[in-house]
Structure formats: structure tokens, C-alpha cells
Amino acid sequence: MPLTDSEIEEIRSILNREPTVEELAMFEAQWSEHCSYKSSRLLLKLLPTTGKHVIVGPGKDAPAVELFPGIAVVFKIESHNHPSAIDPYDGAATGIGGIVRDILTLGAKPIALLDLLYMGDPKDPHANWLIRGIVKGISDYGNRIGVPTVAGDTWFDYAFDIQPLVNVVCVGIAPIDRLVLRGPRANDYIVIIGNATGRDGLLGSSFASKPLSGEDEISAVQVGDPLMEKLLIDVIQILVDRKLVNYIKDLGGGGLTTAISETVADYNLGAEIYLDRLHTRQELTPLELLVSESQERMLLAVDPNNFPKVVEILENYDVMFSLIGRFDESGRIRAYFKGKLVADVPSKELARPRAIRRSSKPPTEALKGFTPVVDVPQIESIEKVIIAVLSSPNIASKKWIYEQYDYEVGARTVIKPGWGDAAVLRLLDGSGRGLAIKGDANPRYTFLDPFNGSANSVAECFRNLVAVGSKPIAIVDELNAGNPEKPEHFWYFEEMLKGIAWITEELALPVVGGKVSFYNEDMYGRQIKPTSTIVGVGKVDDVTATKTFDFKSSNSVIIVVGITYPELGGTEYLYRVHGLEVGEIPRPRPELEIRNAGFILAAIRRSLVSAVHDIGLGGLITTVIEMAIAGSTGFSIDVSKVLCRGCYRLDEILFSETQARYIVEVDRDKLEAFLSLANEYNVYASVVGHTSNKSTCIIRNGDKEVSVFELEFLKNIYEEALNKELE
């Protein structure tokens, strides 16, 4: 967002003079919402961010958490929403590049990527173009840098036809004693490495801090170079191994200005920089050099004594670099260009504008989410309804997306896309240990009830990590909202954040980092469905003991863990079948989440379950069908045996999206031990059916046969639905 009149007056007061054009550009970049968090900073303090495993929390380029003694996992989420709306290929690709470099700033080795994509209706021509470009951009960049894309989340909705949400995650691993935590020191050299600086992405942070205008905004979109990114990954590992750098920072949003200002403000330093020393693609003005967001560039703080060794390594890898200045103790940033002082600003005032407490009030449409769902039309054909829900692009197989990615490069991937509720990666240290990673969101939930919808997204992520056999240890969040200057938009952001703060405290799950993306609205002022994207990491003691969700045998027992309630508000069924986006969404139940998760993990440790799948979007019947399709195994279930409180309709049992529930497969000879353990944990477990050696899927309600499907028929629907939507 361009500087307001009051902000310009404040800058004059800070400088005690008229600012230069270069200084104004610096303040515009750094005081943008994208860089400064000025509208969200006060509320973000509500989040629980500490814990015994947290090494680096919010405020840095990437957080770090102790995964095992001596081993840290570094993971970060970032958005590239605005660029992807203008240039979907380059916008998404450079989002991947930026998030990888964030992981590099702590010296970690990037081992996995996730893409969390909330896009428009595939049948809309413009949205279809965006979808194809976004997925292709992620695929090309990720595949070329050799980092596997192992998991994700996808949602299709008309609300994202013009402004999609492209949230990306990178995960890295490092020994704790190898993390780059020292920080820059006075007299350290400021070295910029990587690509030459150009005009691409000029003031991209400001562009991302205002609504789309509908005009030509392509100059604000960066262009990626994955080959240079791969060189940076390799070079950073060597520099860190040899302890040649004191500090590393990505040149992302805000470019050189933000990288320098945040660094010196964080460490009570100043800096003297010479802009004409930067390696460039073309002749640039000092303003352009300060706010260009050209990609694949990083800042290093290097002790002068180590500089010759750094130069030798960079030259060996043909990585371009520039020594542009030094850190000092002045508390100011002084930028020179061809001998002329073009900017002289106090570092902390530039880096941290005043926080704003925005006005907030619920819009009239928020009442949709507080109205109980009654008088839903009766279902005439259960078969047609099941097919309609299963073929929803939000539920159907995402093979069209993940088969474009290389998800096995690096030999770490244990549970691959389409086989488990979360990705599982091994450490490659011979210990058999690993980690699980998953991301989740439900834009419809957060549109109808931002507080409970966000809490449910955290709970869904929590269950997905548990379902594969991991212990959740931390999350990061991405809050995507509309215009913070509009109280009716800001209300969604505030409620989403409060919902996350509440449930993460209940689940003892620290929020170690995140991102806020505002101004996600189209040129007509219509905001997207506000969306809370949650990404969690879980600890895996033995990757060989993790669980996928495919049925494993043809004569095992199918069990529902947890209680079902008649909660159809905001469900995929209600929208897909009845065209309704209304109603009270399923209630978050953190106490049951903790109890049921503890039981599931205990059952996995004791080898009592063969398959586990959490019940989420589409409800119980969708979950069972997904397990059958993955395992090429038929089943027979009796839904009258599902423990359902207050249910009086069949669709409530089949399609309710009640939280804190799982479907598990148990071998018959382990059933008694499983039920005994459930009793020990005071967990409800309903035996509802069995797998079958027949290729049929039978659904009964007591003595009545409700529907019978051929498994191959359901598989074709599930696996081809998205392809047909995209044709």
C-alpha cells in the first residue's frame, strides 16, 4: 500500500527533514503490511509461541524446533497470492524459491516442500488458467532444485476465481549445533550473493499490500531461476559447515531495504552500504536497487578474516557476489550511490512502524454461520448423493496435481501423496527416525465461523499427524484475509487468529511462526473466503511403524473412533448436494482430540491397527470409501452401529464432519486387545463393519441395504473427477 499522508508526515518527523525519493521508497517497502505486520502485530501476541522444544520462534526468517535431541526441524510458510493472481506460473514458482531460501537462513538443508492451494472453479476459464499455471510453476521450480513436494492441501471455490491463495511451505533439517544463530557483528562485511539485481518485482511488497487494481501489474511479479537456487542451496551448506558466516538472510519482500533494515534493527546495529557495488543485470537507479525484489539473492554477514575463503567457495560454484558495505554500531542505515549519500535513516524506525489496532465488526453475512441447519430436503437417492460428494473437486483424488511433482527425490519420502493423512520423511541417519508434515484449511468453515473454523483447521492438521503415527510438536499458520482497513474484513482476521490461539493453547501446540496476507480481494472490493492455513510437524520414532490409510486385508474389522453428532452446517455434503453454504459448522472438541489422539498413538505403538484415516471433509462414508479405493478392497458397513448422539437422519450419520474422529482397520485377532485399550483410554470405538474379498462396497442401515457400489466404479469417479472438471 502506498504511504498515507499521515505516514509521510511521520517520516518527516523521524528524519527531521524532507525525505529523499530513495528514503520514501524504503519506507514504502518496509512499512507495507507484507513486511511490517503493522495491522496484525498486536493481535499476533495472543498466540502461544513458546515450548520446551522451541529453539527459534516467530520474528525470524524461519523458526526451528527440536525434533530429537541434537536435531532441529526448520519449517516456514509463506504466501505468494498477489503475484500468482497476475502471473500464475512465475508467481507460484518464486513463492517456492523464497520459502526455500528462508530455510537456508538458519543453515538447514531443505528436504521437503508443501503446496497449499485455494483456487477458483475449474470450469471458469480464468480460474482454470490460474490453476494450470500455479501447479506448473510449483512443479517446474521444485523439480529443478531437487527438493520433493511431498504433501499439500487443495480447495476449489468460486471465491478464488480472480484472487487465488498460493501458500507454500519448506521443511529443513539440521543438527542443532550447526544452526546459524550468532547474528551479525559490527564491522562484519555485508555480502550479497546469487542472481544479479534487475527491475523485476519492484516494490512487490507494496503491491502485495493493496487490493488488485485490474490494471497491468506484471512489473511487480518476480521471475525465478531455479538453477541459481540450487547453487545457493549447495553453497550455503558449505559455508555453514565451515563456519564462515555469522548470519544469513533472504532478500525477499522489500528487497535489499527490508533485509538490511530488519537485520540491523534486530541486532542493534547500523549499516553503511554502497549501492553501485551491487552486481546488476542492467543500469539501475539507487531507488530501484533498494527496492528491487529480484529472486535468488541472499545477504551474508561475514567476518573480514573469513571473506577470502567465502570468495573462493562462491567462485568455485560460479555464484555471483558483491561486497556492498559493513555493519556498524551507528543505529542508522546510510546508502551511497556513486559517492553520493542517497539515504540516511534510523534503522529501528524504518524496520518497525507503529502497530495499528484496526476496527473490527462482524458483517451481516456472518449470521449465516450462526444459524442451525434445519429442514434440509430429504435424500431421494443415497447412491446419487454419495457419487456427488465423492466427485467434488475438493474431495476427489488430487493425482492431477501431485503427479506433476517429483515427491521421491532425496530418498526420504516414506508415506507418499495419496497414501496417508500426512507425509512421512526419514532422517537418513540410520536411526529409523523421521518426521511427519501436513497442511490443512477449510475456507468454507472460516467463512461461516472464522473462530471455530480456524480451530477446526488446527484440529484437522493435528489428527492428520496423529493418523500416520506421529506426535505433533508445533505448527505454523498463514492467515489469508481481505482489506484490514475495512472493519467487516478485519473481523474475519481477528476471529481466525483468536480461534487458533485458543485451540493451540488447549492442544499444547506452539505456533512457532507464520505469515499474514491481507488485501486478498478483487478489483471490485470482494474479499476471498478468509482462510486459515495450518501446517504442523510431528515426531516419528520409527518410520517403519507409521500408518497409511489403505485397507490392508480382506477380512478385517472397520471401527469408528469417536462420537458422531448431527453437524451438517458448512459441510461439503450440504454445499455439493443442496447448494447451501450456511449453518453452524462442526464444533471444535480439543479435549476429545487429545484423548482420542493418545489412544490412536497407543494403538499404533502396540501394532493393533493396520490402517488409520481421520474423518474430515465429506464425513464418515467418504473416509471409508477412500480407504477402500487406496487398498483395492471392498467393504460392508452398518451405519446403525455408529455411535451418533442426536442423529435422526441417515445423511447426518454419513456426511457429518464432526471433529476428533478416525476410521481404523483392525485385524480380527487383535480386536479384543484394541477394544480393551479403547476402554482403558475411555474412548468410544464402534465396530461398524468389515473389509471384504469381494469388489463391492455395501452400506447398510440395520437390516436395510442402503446402497451397493462396485469398487471399480467408485474408483473411476474418485480418480477422474478433477480431470473432468479441468477439461
Side-chain angles (χ1 to χ4, degrees):
M1 192 74 179
L3 294 165
T4 64
D5 290 343
S6 63
E7 286 175 331
I8 293 173
E9 281 302 313
E10 187 175 349
I11 292 165
R12 289 186 178 120
S13 177
I14 289 169
L15 299 177
N16 201 27
R17 58 175 169 79
E18 285 294 319
T20 66
V21 291
E22 290 85 3
E23 289 167 341
L24 280 176
M26 293 170 74
F27 277 101
E28 180 177 344
Q30 184 56 29
W31 284 17
S32 67
E33 287 287 356
H34 186 80
C35 294
S36 72
Y37 293 75
K38 59 189 176 186
S39 294
S40 57
R41 239 169 34 229
L42 294 175
L43 286 170
L44 288 171
K45 295 181 185 298
L46 294 172
L47 296 172
T49 60
T50 59
K52 64 180 181 179
H53 299 296
V54 179
I55 301 167
V56 179
K60 303 298 181 183
D61 279 6
V65 179
E66 184 181 57
L67 184 64
F68 296 102
I71 299 175
V73 57
V74 179
F75 67 118
K76 176 76 184 297
I77 189 168
E78 185 61 85
S79 63
H80 246 224
N81 303 338
H82 278 56
S84 299
I86 302 301
D87 179 350
Y89 181 89
D90 286 313
T94 52
I96 292 293
I99 200 64
V100 169
R101 293 192 301 278
D102 282 341
I103 299 307
L104 293 177
T105 61
L106 286 182
K109 179 180 177 60
I111 63 168
L113 296 166
L114 290 80
D115 60 338
L116 305 120
L117 309 176
Y118 308 98
M119 302 179 290
D121 182 351
K123 293 181 179 177
D124 178 272
H126 181 75
N128 191 294
W129 171 71
L130 290 174
I131 292 165
R132 292 177 181 278
I134 288 166
V135 173
K136 181 67 171 170
I138 293 169
S139 168
D140 283 358
Y141 201 104
N143 292 353
R144 288 170 183 171
I145 64 174
V147 181
T149 303
V150 298
D153 191 48
T154 312
W155 188 277
F156 299 96
D157 192 300
Y158 64 91
F160 305 108
D161 282 353
I162 295 173
Q163 174 64 79
L165 301 181
V166 177
N167 298 170
V168 291
V169 176
C170 185
V171 184
I173 290 289
I176 291 175
D177 60 6
R178 186 179 175 275
L179 292 174
V180 180
L181 302 175
R182 289 186 295 277
R185 300 163 184 171
N187 207 43
D188 276 357
Y189 285 165
I190 300 172
V191 183
I192 305 300
I193 69 170
N195 262 339
T197 301
R199 289 197 175 94
D200 52 319
L202 285 174
L203 281 173
S205 61
S206 181
F207 159 65
S209 302
K210 62 183 179 181
L212 296 175
S213 67
E215 300 173 358
D216 183 7
E217 297 169 300
I218 195 69
S219 64
V221 181
Q222 308 92 337
V223 178
D225 179 357
L227 300 181
M228 176 55 72
E229 184 91 354
K230 182 65 172 70
L231 290 176
L232 288 177
I233 293 171
D234 295 340
V235 161
I236 292 294
Q237 301 307 306
I238 295 171
L239 293 173
V240 171
D241 279 340
R242 299 183 185 178
K243 300 187 181 337
L244 295 176
V245 292
N246 292 332
Y247 180 78
I248 308 170
K249 190 167 180 65
D250 175 39
L251 268 69
L256 183 63
T257 289
T258 292
I260 294 288
S261 66
E262 290 182 349
T263 300
V264 295
D266 285 347
Y267 292 93
N268 296 310
L269 294 171
E272 191 172 88
I273 58 175
Y274 297 87
L275 298 172
D276 45 301
R277 296 181 184 175
L278 267 173
H279 53 289
T280 62
R281 290 181 222 149
Q282 62 223 100
E283 188 172 339
L284 299 174
T285 67
L287 185 153
E288 291 170 331
L289 292 165
L290 283 164
V291 297
S292 167
E293 294 182 12
S294 294
Q295 295 293 286
E296 292 85 35
R297 300 183 301 159
M298 302 194 79
L299 179 155
L300 307 179
V302 180
D303 186 301
N305 295 324
N306 289 331
F307 185 62
K309 297 176 184 176
V310 171
V311 169
E312 182 182 357
I313 292 167
L314 294 173
E315 289 180 342
N316 284 343
Y317 277 80
D318 288 329
V319 173
M320 294 178 286
F321 67 92
S322 301
L323 170 56
I324 68 165
R326 290 177 186 258
F327 292 108
D328 57 38
E329 296 179 336
S330 67
R332 303 187 70 83
I333 300 170
R334 293 185 175 92
Y336 295 86
F337 183 74
K338 295 183 178 179
K340 179 184 177 182
L341 181 66
V342 295
D344 182 0
V345 298
S347 57
K348 289 188 177 179
E349 284 80 356
L350 172 61
R352 301 190 184 113
R354 287 183 299 105
I356 303 171
R357 183 58 169 96
R358 299 284 189 184
S359 297
S360 172
K361 71 175 183 180
T364 304
E365 67 181 7
L367 292 173
K368 289 182 179 181
F370 296 93
T371 306
V373 175
V374 294
D375 299 327
V376 176
Q378 290 289 338
I379 296 173
E380 294 182 4
S381 168
I382 284 290
E383 287 89 350
K384 289 181 179 179
V385 169
I386 290 173
I387 291 169
V389 173
L390 192 65
S391 62
S392 165
N394 292 333
I395 287 175
S397 170
K398 306 304 185 296
K399 277 187 177 182
W400 180 85
I401 297 174
Y402 65 72
E403 286 189 345
Q404 296 187 49
Y405 304 150
D406 186 343
Y407 48 78
E408 293 186 288
V409 63
R412 292 180 183 270
T413 312
V414 178
I415 296 184
K416 305 174 179 64
W419 290 98
D421 283 356
V424 173
L425 305 167
R426 57 173 65 88
L427 290 186
L428 297 184
D429 61 356
S431 67
R433 299 174 302 179
L435 64 92
I437 182 86
K438 183 61 172 74
D440 289 285
N442 187 314
R444 188 178 300 126
Y445 280 3
T446 41
F447 165 66
L448 291 172
D449 183 344
F451 183 98
N452 287 315
S454 291
N456 281 346
S457 294
V458 175
E460 172 77 12
C461 183
F462 181 84
R463 287 195 305 279
N464 282 327
L465 294 172
V466 168
V468 296
S470 77
K471 177 177 173 51
I473 58 173
I475 68 164
V476 293
D477 63 349
E478 167 83 38
L479 295 170
N480 304 276
N483 189 333
E485 300 164 59
K486 298 177 180 179
E488 293 85 357
H489 287 195
F490 194 74
W491 176 80
Y492 283 99
F493 166 78
E494 182 170 342
E495 290 300 305
M496 288 193 298
L497 188 143
K498 288 178 177 177
I500 294 169
W502 166 69
I503 198 163
T504 50
E505 196 78 71
E506 296 292 312
L507 297 176
L509 206 55
V511 185
V512 295
K515 180 66 182 174
V516 174
S517 176
F518 282 129
Y519 296 99
N520 291 294
E521 57 179 354
D522 62 23
M523 61 286 297
Y524 308 108
R526 296 175 302 206
Q527 71 169 333
I528 48 91
K529 279 189 169 74
T531 303
S532 297
T533 309
I534 307 297
V535 175
V537 164
K539 172 182 174 181
V540 178
D541 291 318
D542 179 2
V543 296
T544 65
T546 54
K547 297 299 174 185
T548 53
F549 59 58
D550 52 309
F551 284 145
K552 305 297 190 301
S553 68
S554 59
N555 190 31
S556 52
V557 179
I558 300 171
I559 299 174
V560 178
V561 174
I563 308 170
T564 301
Y565 293 90
E567 296 180 309
L568 294 179
T571 61
E572 190 67 16
Y573 157 74
L574 198 64
Y575 177 70
R576 183 76 173 169
V577 176
H578 301 289
L580 299 173
E581 284 192 302
V582 296
E584 295 177 314
I585 67 171
R587 294 287 181 188
R589 294 181 166 85
E591 184 179 341
L592 287 178
E593 294 286 2
I594 294 169
R595 188 192 312 165
N596 293 354
F599 164 66
I600 291 291
L601 291 174
I604 292 173
R605 283 195 303 271
R606 300 184 191 188
S607 301
L608 296 178
V609 293
S610 304
V612 184
H613 200 359
D614 98 289
I615 300 177
L617 197 67
L620 183 152
I621 191 59
T622 301
T623 306
V624 176
I625 290 173
E626 287 176 342
M627 297 174 81
I629 291 171
S632 300
T633 303
F635 66 83
S636 175
I637 61 170
D638 179 357
V639 296
S640 71
K641 294 181 179 179
V642 175
L643 176 58
C644 189
R645 288 188 183 159
C647 301
Y648 64 95
R649 294 169 48 127
L650 182 58
D651 56 355
E652 292 170 338
I653 302 173
L654 293 175
F655 302 110
S656 170
E657 294 174 8
T658 296
Q659 302 291 289
R661 296 182 301 157
Y662 303 81
I663 299 285
V664 297
E665 177 191 16
V666 177
D667 288 342
R668 289 186 181 274
D669 60 357
K670 296 179 179 179
L671 178 59
E672 184 178 347
F674 179 87
L675 295 177
S676 175
L677 185 65
N679 186 59
E680 181 183 326
Y681 273 80
N682 195 25
V683 163
Y684 293 98
S686 307
V687 177
V688 298
H690 58 85
T691 58
S692 168
N693 57 9
K694 298 179 181 178
S695 59
T696 53
C697 302
I698 302 170
I699 304 165
R700 293 188 172 86
N701 186 11
D703 294 334
K704 182 180 179 182
E705 193 173 84
V706 173
S707 60
V708 179
F709 291 102
E710 287 297 321
L711 181 59
E712 191 64 25
F713 172 75
L714 293 177
K715 181 179 180 181
N716 287 338
I717 289 173
Y718 181 72
E719 293 188 348
E720 297 300 324
L722 182 56
N723 291 351
K724 291 179 180 178
E725 291 277 337
L726 286 163
E727 287 176 353

